[in-house]
Amino acid sequence: MPVLPEWINFQFPPKIHFEIDCGYKLGSFVKNIGSRVVLITTQKELENAEELSIIKTSLEKHAEGVIIYDDIVDRVHFKDLDSCAHFLRISNADCVVAYGSFESVNAGKAASLLATNDLFAEELLVGKKQPKKKGLPLIVVPTKPLLGNECSPFFSIVDDKDKNRKYFAHEWAFPELIVSDPKIGAGMSSSETAKTGISILSAAVDSILSKYANEITSSTALRSIELISKNIVPAIREPRNLGPKNSIYAASLLAGIAQSTSSLGLCYALSLAVTTVTNLDIFQSMSILLPHVMEYNLTSSAGKYVMIARALDEDVTNISVIEAAIKAVEGIRKIYLELRIPQRLSEYEVKKIDLPGIATLAATYSFLDCLPRELPKNEIETILVAAF
């Protein structure tokens, strides 16, 4: 199942404003979209209070009203969404701003769609009822790079009943505008920068390996890989220099543009399942699993691996395609070694007994049909055992 209808080779309708220190301009952007603004964020992701205050002040100058909705504590559940969508309706909101990280953006996408449709979250994500109306216009302001999820037309929410994370994709889930300001994420620690950068790398590789990838999406994803490989180490060594971090934000946007048409794949499916069963977040999961997923797909996608190796600045002249493909995996592992990023689930106290459950959940995600070859559940578990 492609993210967008199969006849579409490429579509990316959102607007993007990408600039260091542009939070004070947000109101002037939003005034062209709506006047009654609800800013959605989870309590856990309510970061950088100073920048949030600047953003709120800017919005208040150009809007009739601004309300911060922060009733969601951490992971977004169906009941959280239903409450949030109800609040959007009774407040007569005509514009939603999602401020935060992975969960806040998931909440913003889902709630803005539910607010205009006569649906509950469970009906949308489990019953798979399709929305009949476009959602409220959504502006996404990420507090850190989100492996491209800040601008993609899909989201995942935790089911209250079985506690599993459900995935939903629709072209109406695209944000209206993404405002990407590296200054908001200037306070990211070295470990946060490392796992976030590698998760973007993982998302870019996922989208390249998709059978729905094309020259446009692959070129965009390869540029994302190149930016990460060249800027991740400087971003950690020079935390006050926003230049390298700016490139990481750009890489995330490029990965999002690619995955919006080509879809994410195995690494993302496994990571969604891991975040459901364990205490790992999406960024940690993506960064741990990438090398193992790449090794699994090496022989089936050797030609694409050669492109990835080149983007990582690996020398692939005068060697066979398979040898060049191996260089791609080696190039990824070099980055891991330099950043000292863990490559085993067991290093995060994940229990081996959890692996079958993770594999079962990962196999349920509809977007796995984008994989270059069929993937039985037992092989998913084999990859997890290798990553353990």
Side-chain angles (χ1 to χ4, degrees):
M1 183 193 76
V3 178
L4 301 173
E6 283 192 74
W7 57 270
I8 297 177
N9 295 115
F10 186 80
Q11 179 188 12
F12 189 74
K15 307 173 185 70
I16 294 177
H17 187 88
F18 178 47
E19 181 186 5
I20 295 175
D21 193 15
C22 65
Y24 69 95
K25 298 180 181 178
L26 188 63
S28 62
F29 304 151
V30 174
K31 72 178 182 181
N32 300 310
I33 299 172
S35 59
R36 294 183 61 82
V37 181
V38 173
L39 188 151
I40 296 174
T41 185
T42 68
Q43 293 175 21
K44 186 175 182 180
E45 295 177 356
L46 194 57
E47 302 168 317
N48 202 331
E50 184 178 343
E51 282 296 322
L52 179 58
S53 177
I54 292 170
I55 287 170
K56 186 172 183 290
T57 300
S58 176
L59 289 170
E60 288 170 339
K61 287 180 180 177
H62 297 276
E64 293 177 14
V66 179
I67 303 171
I68 294 180
Y69 185 90
D70 60 353
D71 286 1
I72 303 169
V73 178
D74 186 2
R75 296 183 181 184
V76 188
H77 293 70
F78 287 176
K79 63 181 179 181
D80 295 319
L81 275 187
D82 291 333
S83 297
C84 185
H86 177 68
F87 182 82
L88 292 175
R89 295 186 196 106
I90 64 173
S91 63
N92 293 318
D94 61 7
C95 176
V96 175
V97 174
Y99 176 90
S101 187
F102 185 69
E103 294 294 347
S104 300
V105 172
N106 279 330
K109 288 179 182 178
S112 63
L113 197 57
L114 288 171
T116 58
N117 288 276
D118 188 20
L119 293 171
F120 290 107
E122 184 175 6
E123 294 176 309
L124 185 70
L125 286 115
V126 178
K128 297 299 181 185
K129 289 187 177 180
Q130 293 300 306
K132 296 181 179 179
K133 299 178 183 177
K134 286 187 176 182
L136 294 174
L138 173 68
I139 296 92
V140 173
V141 184
T143 52
K144 64 178 68 171
L146 297 182
L147 55 100
N149 276 199
E150 62 265 48
C151 48
S152 58
F154 48 79
F155 51 83
S156 60
I157 307 294
V158 178
D159 188 333
D160 296 291
K161 293 180 180 177
D162 61 18
K163 306 304 178 186
N164 290 337
R165 192 175 283 274
K166 300 298 193 296
Y167 170 91
F168 184 82
H170 196 283
E171 59 187 306
W172 287 347
F174 270 120
E176 180 84 9
L177 169 68
I178 304 101
V179 178
S180 189
D181 179 2
K183 186 184 175 188
I184 295 175
M188 289 170 61
S189 66
S190 296
S191 60
E192 283 181 312
T193 302
K195 71 179 182 180
T196 301
I198 297 301
S199 70
I200 296 167
L201 199 63
S202 305
V205 170
D206 251 6
S207 67
I208 290 170
L209 297 182
S210 167
K211 69 182 182 185
Y212 301 117
N214 56 46
E215 289 187 3
I216 298 172
T217 63
S218 294
S219 297
T220 308
L222 288 167
R223 178 58 177 158
S224 176
I225 292 171
E226 185 180 351
L227 284 172
I228 292 296
S229 65
K230 291 181 177 177
N231 289 280
I232 186 70
V233 173
I236 291 170
R237 289 179 178 169
E238 307 169 45
R240 295 188 179 183
N241 180 1
L242 288 181
K245 199 159 284 184
N246 190 54
S247 295
I248 293 175
Y249 269 77
S252 184
L253 292 170
L254 290 168
I257 292 169
Q259 69 194 232
S260 293
T261 299
S262 66
S263 175
L264 288 172
L266 179 55
C267 195
Y268 190 63
L270 287 170
S271 297
L272 288 180
V274 167
T275 62
T276 301
V277 177
T278 74
N279 291 322
L280 290 176
D281 62 37
I282 191 73
F283 308 101
Q284 291 167 324
S285 303
M286 292 283 280
S287 62
I288 294 168
L289 292 165
L290 174 62
H292 308 284
V293 171
M294 287 190 72
E295 286 177 348
Y296 173 81
N297 284 316
L298 196 150
T299 54
S300 62
S301 303
K304 292 184 175 183
Y305 276 44
V306 176
M307 297 190 297
I308 293 170
R310 290 194 181 108
L312 293 167
D313 208 22
E314 292 290 321
D315 185 5
V316 294
T317 55
N318 301 320
I319 57 176
S320 69
V321 171
I322 290 297
E323 288 172 324
I326 293 171
K327 286 273 190 180
V329 181
E330 290 176 349
I332 293 291
R333 290 202 181 273
K334 285 178 188 176
I335 297 173
Y336 277 62
L337 291 172
E338 188 163 8
L339 299 179
R340 298 180 180 178
I341 291 177
Q343 298 179 46
R344 298 288 173 191
L345 290 168
S346 56
E347 294 182 59
Y348 284 97
E349 298 182 2
V350 176
K351 298 174 183 177
K352 200 165 189 177
I353 197 173
D354 293 331
L355 301 187
I358 293 171
T360 299
L361 178 57
T364 65
Y365 291 121
S366 57
F367 58 87
L368 281 185
D369 75 344
C370 77
L371 299 182
R373 59 172 168 155
E374 189 177 348
L375 184 66
K377 176 181 164 290
N378 66 312
E379 289 196 38
I380 296 178
E381 194 169 337
T382 300
I383 295 169
L384 288 168
V385 170
F388 185 76

